Amino acid sequence: MTDRVQAVVIGGGVVGASVLFHLTRAGWTDVVLLERSELTAGSTWHAAGGMHPINSDPTVAQLQKYTIDLYREIEELSGQDCGIHVTGSVFLADTHERLDWLRMTDARGRYLGISSEMISSDEAARLMPIIDPGQFVGAMHDIDHGHVDPTGVTYAYARAAMSAGAEVRRHTWARRIERTTDGAWRVGLYDTSRGDLAGTSVTTDPDGCDDWIEATHVVNAGGLWAREVGRMVGLELPVLAMEHTYVITEPVAEIVAHNERTGEELMGSIDFGGEIYTRQEGQGLLVGTYEQAAVAWQRRQTPWDFDKRLLTPDLERIAPSLDTAFRHFPVLADVGIARVVNGPFTFAPDGNPLVGPIRGLPGFWSACAVMAGLSQGGGVGLALANWMTGGDPGFDVWAMDIARFGDWATRSYTATKVSENYRRRFSIRFPNEFLGEGRPLATTSIYEDQRAAGAVFGDAYGLEVPLWFAPEAGAVEDVTFGRSNAWPHVRSEVYAVRNDVGLMETSGFAKFLVEGPRARAWLTHLTAGRLPRPGRIALAPMCNETGNLTGDLTIACLPAAHGSSDGPWGTVTGGATGNASTGERFIIFGSGVAERYYERWFDAILLDWAATAPDGPASAATARGDPVRLRTLGTSLCGVAISGPKSRALLAEVTDADVSGETMPFGSFTELDIGWARALCGRLSYTGELGYELWMDAGHLQHVFNLLVAHGAAHGLRLFGLHALNSLRLDKSFGSWAREYRPTYDPFEAGLGRFVRFARASDDGTDFVGRAALINKYGLGEVPSGYVHAPADAMALRTWALDGPDDESGFDAAGDEPIYCDGEPVGWVTSGGFAHHSNVSVAMGYVPAELAHEGVQFDIEIVGERRAARLVDGCLWDPEGTAMRR
């Protein structure tokens, strides 16, 4: 008889064991871990075991700190020694840019509760007397850095989970995964204790299973075999293993002397210049490196019989890194190498884990590419267990969410980006830096025109997007923590939008078509805002069950037809639109990088809504996609936006439609002809100016662009990019997804409360997702008419103007800087920059709502300097919004 459990975790490394433990902690005890060999047999067993809370993403840093703090607890719960060594470490900077990065990291730690301090290179040499202080310009002392025994940690997780009721099955290969008729999962098992797995392939012999187990949920924590586990359900994960080498030296006299003199273990180090990490091992030194001659391992398929094995050492490959190590750590020149460890570790294209549910595979979860498993494994387990058992990870995990990658992240793309990321493992990342490999991948038809016009590109969700325009083609932006060579050109773009007219491409937005007779009912359930009537467009916050944001969407209701047009938005003809059999058509616009994230959320809400809809048979029909049909438009629907006081005059020259303010008021959404092309036109603007967003079939983008550029010359038209858009939105205190708007905050905290409509329900009587949680949180009882008083622990999004220079010499907030009140960190910056039109440096961020009012004095720390920050009342420019409504 086939066993049935709540969840199966595939993979017995530190990550799989952590997931199992956290599921039991969350209350799921009917859970099973399947390990093909012995626990730790993939990458965990040969890991160097380092742990530290430092990460460039604040959420990941907090989860790393959680992981470190958890080790003592699981030791006590399991009785298993984790081999915990908290030694502290020094992060060494050999350039002033790297020192600036450390200053920013140290500042961020103040509001994250991470213990660190900036020190001189001489002080670093006193703490760690094997470095040459003359090789460095400064350092940061991390108090919580250390190392653990990877095997001990894994068994501690597993034993703690088993004591709570979980089961661990070793020598059990999850060889096949398939769906059951009731939507659960069926996993085929093979007993590997019978012999060698060499040559056995899940693809050539899929039916050779000894037994089966059924589960509502399956977690892919396959590590080196994550791709192979994913392929069992038709999924190609963007993950690849790289060869990674560390060496262990013979005893080092200076280390022995330090141990005897202080009675303490030598602390570890991170050396950015050499891409090197070190820690004490025995009486010697463990030296690891992320060498430039990176080598991928098993690009196509990981052998199933690879079991607690290492790879052939290649000291020639890491020789340049060792040369740097000899300069920075002179003691290494006089000591031999006792052992070389070369083993594979998995990476995602950007180096962060791949965690979360998979679109189209309900109940199938990813916990893969956790390269820093001993630093991140506990946090990954916590996030995933929360997600599985409660429907939400409990915090913003965007940096780890597998939804940040779409189908464009192919196997070859993954190999290119993983190699790049590996070589840059300890390289600092500048806020204006876009890495070059794997680009350009996706472009639109006007890419070459924009490049010839001087566009400097970045990339977002695989698509090339202009950042700014240089006077001549071929320019590059200097990467820096300060203001770059883009400064004067971005300033000119901003002035053009504020005084004349600017044009930017908007094809990178996420775009979805929603249609069917119950489209409006479903969208009313999905979003918290007011849905527009036909021919209108409106902002619609989207919440999860806890009331926190899952999107800041713009929804357009397609106009009633006045002719016939076939576009990527569907056929909009005569009497069909809006009638009972077809229903209304809507286009949802959102952040381009969140396209897969939105798809996954829409699917989940649609299925839940179908299951609970009160009309019986219609529920099953909805699940088939009949009354509500959802389609991702992608770059089949491309767009440009024109913005500025002269944008109406320009639009009037390229269309025969009436574009007057009376006929096309703010918030209207209509069809018109631009030259020979049919387009949708939304009258709204993210710049705060009079503006129009024009959407058309991808094949018509070139024609529309050329026409606007040609006619725009007489109006002072200038192309502008994302840097100028950022400056313009800061004038208006407009937030953006993944910065100001995140699942950490609810709409009222994020300043979107005015768009929430409590007094509405869909035509089937269902409330919008998160409504009950918001009412409970704010103690409303009755339907509010506007913003309500916040609970004591609520945060509030605000804008600050900062003291500082107003020329190229200054520094601006980039995000994650601490905000101080009376000398104490009380909040954090979400984004910032220079608002050229207002001529001031600006930061947006969150502080406790009780402090978010005039009269409170704030400071913000930017690259090591605390600067006075004036709280802005509303926004810097046009607070009444008259410009975009004229």
Side-chain angles (χ1 to χ4, degrees):
M1 182 175 178
T2 302
D3 291 338
R4 181 70 180 258
V5 297
Q6 286 176 293
V8 164
V9 179
I10 299 175
V14 67
V15 174
S18 170
V19 171
L20 189 76
F21 165 74
H22 282 92
L23 286 173
T24 63
R25 168 162 283 191
W28 284 14
T29 57
D30 187 15
V31 290
V32 176
L33 183 146
L34 306 177
E35 166 52 45
R36 182 184 44 79
S37 180
E38 297 284 352
L39 297 183
T40 79
S43 294
T44 301
W45 74 277
H46 62 74
M51 60 175 187
H52 62 81
I54 304 302
N55 192 281
S56 58
D57 182 271
T59 298
V60 177
Q62 287 179 303
L63 291 177
Q64 291 183 188
K65 185 177 188 304
Y66 165 82
T67 300
I68 294 169
D69 294 342
L70 181 63
Y71 286 142
R72 296 291 184 192
E73 182 178 353
I74 62 172
E75 264 193 342
E76 183 175 345
L77 287 172
S78 66
Q80 169 70 49
D81 182 10
C82 291
I84 303 170
H85 299 254
V86 181
T87 63
S89 72
V90 287
F91 284 63
L92 302 165
D94 62 338
T95 68
H96 289 287
E97 290 79 10
R98 287 171 176 143
L99 189 61
D100 283 344
W101 187 88
L102 288 176
R103 290 190 179 105
M104 296 164 70
T105 301
D106 176 61
R108 185 167 58 243
R110 279 190 269 286
Y111 71 77
L112 294 176
I114 295 173
S115 301
S116 63
E117 61 177 339
M118 296 302 299
I119 59 176
S120 68
S121 53
D122 287 335
E123 178 65 10
R126 188 189 69 78
L127 293 172
M128 191 182 185
I130 64 170
I131 69 171
D132 176 2
Q135 298 289 325
F136 306 101
V137 298
M140 184 184 76
H141 181 203
D142 169 25
I143 310 300
D144 296 324
H145 196 119
H147 58 96
V148 290
D149 171 24
T151 298
V153 167
T154 304
Y155 275 89
Y157 279 132
R159 287 172 178 167
M162 287 188 288
S163 68
E167 181 183 359
V168 173
R169 299 187 188 180
R170 297 175 302 140
H171 302 290
T172 304
W173 178 14
R175 196 173 184 189
R176 185 176 181 179
I177 307 173
E178 57 187 36
R179 295 303 297 267
T180 64
T181 55
D182 63 353
W185 295 96
R186 190 166 179 257
V187 183
L189 310 178
Y190 182 86
D191 181 1
T192 63
S193 65
R194 296 181 302 196
D196 190 6
L197 291 177
T200 306
S201 170
V202 74
T203 56
T204 59
D205 184 19
D207 297 318
C209 299
D210 300 314
D211 199 359
W212 295 83
I213 185 171
E214 290 185 0
T216 307
H217 299 270
V218 171
V219 178
N220 178 2
L224 293 177
W225 295 269
R227 292 175 304 178
E228 287 68 33
V229 174
R231 288 167 187 165
M232 294 180 192
V233 295
L235 179 67
E236 188 68 31
L237 288 166
V239 61
L240 179 66
M242 302 293 291
E243 294 191 20
H244 178 67
T245 299
Y246 62 82
V247 301
I248 298 173
T249 73
E250 294 175 343
V252 178
E254 288 82 354
I255 293 178
V256 174
H258 172 82
N259 296 158
E260 293 175 349
R261 183 178 68 256
T262 65
E264 296 177 350
E265 186 176 353
L266 184 73
M267 67 174 51
S269 73
I270 302 291
D271 176 4
F272 291 94
E275 297 277 346
I276 292 166
Y277 61 89
T278 71
R279 69 166 175 82
Q280 183 172 339
E281 176 68 17
Q283 293 182 320
L285 195 68
L286 183 153
V287 182
T289 178
Y290 292 89
E291 70 282 1
Q292 294 303 296
V295 175
W297 182 74
Q298 300 296 342
R299 285 176 177 261
R300 292 183 175 273
Q301 174 143 344
T302 303
W304 287 106
D305 62 338
F306 189 81
D307 181 9
K308 281 203 171 183
R309 288 157 54 187
L310 293 174
L311 308 176
T312 304
D314 184 359
L315 291 179
E316 281 297 315
R317 193 174 78 240
I318 68 170
S321 296
L322 292 178
D323 287 343
T324 302
F326 293 154
R327 294 197 310 273
H328 292 184
F329 305 87
V331 297
L332 293 175
D334 301 319
V335 66
I337 294 176
R339 186 182 176 208
V340 180
V341 176
N342 182 24
F345 289 95
T346 56
F347 292 78
D350 61 1
N352 279 340
L354 300 173
V355 178
I358 308 298
R359 189 207 180 192
L361 299 173
F364 191 86
W365 304 79
S366 175
C368 305
V370 190
M371 190 286 305
L374 280 307
S375 285
Q376 298 174 349
V380 167
L382 173 67
L384 197 66
N386 287 346
W387 218 335
M388 294 172 66
T389 62
D392 185 85
F395 29 79
D396 178 17
V397 295
W398 175 251
M400 301 191 302
D401 194 333
I402 191 171
R404 69 189 187 274
F405 293 106
D407 295 338
W408 46 270
T410 62
R411 191 166 62 198
S412 56
Y413 173 89
T414 296
T416 297
K417 297 301 287 187
V418 164
S419 179
E420 177 186 47
N421 180 269
Y422 179 91
R423 297 193 304 270
R424 294 176 49 88
R425 176 65 183 165
F426 287 147
S427 297
I428 59 174
R429 183 78 178 266
F430 294 95
N432 66 332
E433 184 176 16
F434 289 79
L435 303 184
E437 295 195 23
R439 296 177 51 204
L441 175 59
T443 60
T444 66
S445 60
I446 61 174
Y447 169 77
E448 290 296 342
D449 294 86
Q450 295 182 95
R451 191 164 70 91
V456 178
F457 289 92
D459 64 316
Y461 205 65
L463 181 69
E464 293 295 303
V465 292
L467 304 174
W468 57 281
F469 288 82
E472 297 180 355
V476 295
E477 183 168 356
D478 299 334
V479 293
T480 175
F481 292 120
R483 296 167 185 163
S484 75
N485 57 322
W487 166 275
H489 310 295
V490 173
R491 194 177 187 89
S492 296
E493 293 171 25
V494 168
Y495 287 169
V497 173
R498 285 283 182 254
N499 299 315
D500 297 309
V501 59
L503 182 153
M504 75 173 296
E505 185 176 10
T506 56
S507 301
F509 278 50
K511 302 169 289 289
F512 310 92
L513 177 67
V514 182
E515 56 187 342
R518 301 189 64 204
R520 180 174 288 272
W522 178 66
L523 287 172
T524 302
H525 174 64
L526 177 76
T527 63
R530 172 182 55 82
L531 281 187
R533 63 184 183 272
R536 300 290 293 174
I537 188 167
L539 184 67
M542 183 169 64
C543 300
N544 59 22
E545 291 289 355
T546 69
N548 285 352
L549 290 167
T550 54
D552 62 319
L553 307 175
T554 303
I555 300 181
C557 185
L558 289 172
H562 52 80
S564 177
S565 68
D566 289 303
W569 54 88
T571 304
V572 185
T573 53
T577 299
N579 68 24
S581 62
T582 304
E584 297 168 308
R585 291 186 174 90
F586 298 85
I587 296 182
I588 300 175
F589 300 95
S591 174
V593 297
E595 182 177 281
R596 181 55 51 86
Y597 173 90
Y598 292 141
E599 289 174 330
R600 187 180 65 192
W601 183 253
F602 295 160
D603 287 352
I605 298 300
L606 186 56
L607 283 173
D608 288 345
W609 180 70
T612 58
D615 51 4
S619 299
T622 300
R624 294 196 304 269
D626 296 333
V628 179
R629 297 181 294 279
L630 175 68
R631 178 158 60 96
T632 301
L633 297 174
T635 51
S636 66
L637 182 68
C638 287
V640 294
I642 55 173
S643 188
K646 298 179 182 178
S647 58
R648 179 181 285 123
L650 171 58
L651 183 60
E653 287 190 18
V654 298
T655 183
D656 60 1
D658 182 356
V659 298
S660 65
E662 294 74 23
T663 302
M664 192 183 292
F666 181 76
S668 61
F669 194 80
T670 188
E671 283 188 302
L672 46 73
D673 291 336
I674 306 292
W676 302 319
R678 176 55 55 97
L680 293 169
C681 177
R683 203 197 134 182
L684 73 168
S685 169
Y686 193 49
T687 68
E689 274 289 351
L690 171 68
Y692 305 85
E693 291 182 355
L694 302 169
W695 302 98
M696 71 289 303
D697 185 282
H700 298 157
L701 176 63
Q702 181 81 67
H703 172 70
V704 172
F705 176 81
N706 290 345
L707 197 64
L708 289 168
V709 169
H711 284 265
H715 299 278
L717 181 137
R718 178 157 184 161
L719 302 180
F720 70 101
L722 291 182
H723 286 355
L725 184 65
N726 186 59
S727 177
L728 291 159
R729 75 163 181 101
L730 291 173
D731 273 335
K732 297 291 294 175
S733 295
F734 287 164
S736 63
W737 180 251
R739 290 187 287 195
E740 285 71 41
Y741 307 143
R742 313 181 192 186
T744 312
Y745 318 108
D746 69 50
F748 293 100
E749 292 175 308
L752 299 176
R754 66 189 183 278
F755 297 107
V756 176
R757 297 291 185 269
F758 284 92
R760 70 181 182 89
S762 65
D763 61 6
D764 61 11
T766 58
D767 293 331
F768 69 78
V769 177
R771 181 179 185 272
L774 287 173
I775 290 176
N776 181 65
K777 178 176 181 178
Y778 289 95
L780 303 178
E782 301 295 330
V783 175
S785 58
Y787 190 78
V788 294
H789 292 293
D793 61 347
M795 304 295 285
L797 176 64
R798 291 294 185 266
T799 300
W800 289 265
L802 280 67
D803 288 349
D806 59 0
D807 57 23
E808 295 95 324
S809 66
F811 289 80
D812 299 303
D816 303 325
E817 293 89 352
I819 301 172
Y820 297 89
C821 180
D822 294 331
E824 295 296 322
V826 295
W828 51 89
V829 172
T830 50
S831 68
F834 196 83
H836 288 277
H837 180 71
S838 299
N839 207 42
V840 66
S841 185
V842 176
M844 297 182 69
Y846 283 89
V847 294
E850 61 184 2
L851 298 177
H853 56 80
E854 292 186 38
V856 178
Q857 300 298 312
F858 294 95
D859 298 291
I860 296 177
E861 184 171 351
I862 299 177
V863 194
E865 178 187 1
R866 293 195 190 184
R867 290 161 55 181
R870 172 177 59 85
L871 190 65
V872 174
D873 182 15
C875 65
L876 291 165
W877 178 74
D878 190 24
E880 301 301 321
T882 56
M884 58 186 174
R885 289 176 171 82
R886 57 181 144 197

